[in-house]
Amino acid sequence: MKIATILPVLAFAFIAVNCNKIKEETKSNSEIAIKSDSIAKPVKKELPENFDEFNKKFHSDSLFQVSRVDFPIEGKHVSGFEQYNWTRKNWQFQVIPVAEKTEIEEYQHSLVKTDTLITEKFWIPNSDFEVERQFKLIDNKWFLIYYNDINL
C-alpha cells in the first residue's frame, strides 16, 4: 500500500518539475522571440556597419555618398572670399578616404576614433588651411555629419 501511494506522488513531482523547466525555457525564449499570430519570430539585432567597408564605398560611389551625408550638414566651405554652407546642390564628391596615416608630408593629420564617432583633420601649420570631417554612427549606419573645408 505504501508503494501504491509513493508512486503517484513521485510521478506527480516528476511532472511538476518538468513543467517548471518548460515554463522557464519558454520565458527565456520569449525574450529572444516575439510572438505574432502564435508564430514565434526571432528578433534580429542589427550589427553596426563596418566603418572600413563604409569608408571604401563612401569615397567611390557618389550616389551612396550623397545618401550618407546628413544634410543640412554642419561646417562650411571657405576659399578666399567665397563662403557657403554645404547643401545637396553644391556638394563636392569626396574621393579621399579616411586613413590612419597620410602620404602628403606638408599636411599635419590627426584621426580620433571611437565606436560611434570618427574625426579626421588635415591642416598646414601657420596657415589658414584646415579640413575637418566627422562621421557618426546613427541607427547602426555611418553618416558624414560635419565637413569644414577652410582655405584662406
Side-chain angles (χ1 to χ4, degrees), residues 4-151:
T5 307
I6 292 175
L7 281 178
V9 171
L10 287 176
F12 178 78
F14 179 77
I15 292 170
V17 168
N18 282 330
C19 284
N20 266 347
K21 281 185 180 179
I22 291 170
K23 282 182 184 177
E24 287 174 14
E25 286 175 9
T26 303
K27 186 177 179 181
S28 67
N29 286 341
S30 69
E31 293 171 8
I32 300 168
I34 296 175
K35 275 192 148 186
S36 173
D37 297 326
S38 72
I39 298 173
K41 294 180 182 178
V43 175
K44 291 183 181 178
K45 183 174 181 183
E46 190 176 331
L47 295 175
E49 181 175 41
N50 178 285
F51 182 78
D52 293 333
E53 291 173 15
F54 160 79
N55 191 26
K56 288 176 190 171
K57 188 170 182 180
F58 184 86
H59 294 93
S60 64
D61 182 334
S62 62
L63 293 175
F64 179 74
Q65 186 173 104
V66 170
S67 76
R68 293 300 187 88
V69 176
D70 193 20
F71 291 108
I73 190 170
E74 295 289 324
K76 59 180 78 177
H77 170 82
V78 179
S79 182
F81 293 108
E82 181 181 61
Q83 179 175 332
Y84 54 83
N85 293 328
W86 295 110
T87 65
R88 285 186 195 277
K89 290 182 180 179
N90 67 15
W91 182 249
Q92 300 168 5
F93 181 61
Q94 306 297 306
V95 295
I96 300 172
V98 174
E100 294 288 333
K101 295 181 182 178
T102 180
E103 295 179 11
I104 306 169
E105 291 183 17
E106 63 262 15
Y107 296 129
Q108 296 289 316
H109 177 255
S110 73
L111 181 64
V112 178
K113 287 182 164 184
T114 69
D115 290 342
T116 59
L117 184 68
I118 295 177
T119 302
E120 183 178 47
K121 293 180 187 178
F122 291 93
W123 72 95
I124 298 175
N126 303 317
S127 77
D128 290 324
F129 173 80
E130 178 184 309
V131 174
E132 179 179 350
R133 55 188 176 170
Q134 294 179 358
F135 295 89
K136 184 174 184 178
L137 192 63
I138 302 171
D139 294 330
N140 289 323
K141 293 183 180 181
W142 288 100
F143 288 86
L144 180 65
I145 61 162
Y146 180 86
Y147 184 63
N148 212 28
D149 181 9
I150 302 193
N151 190 7

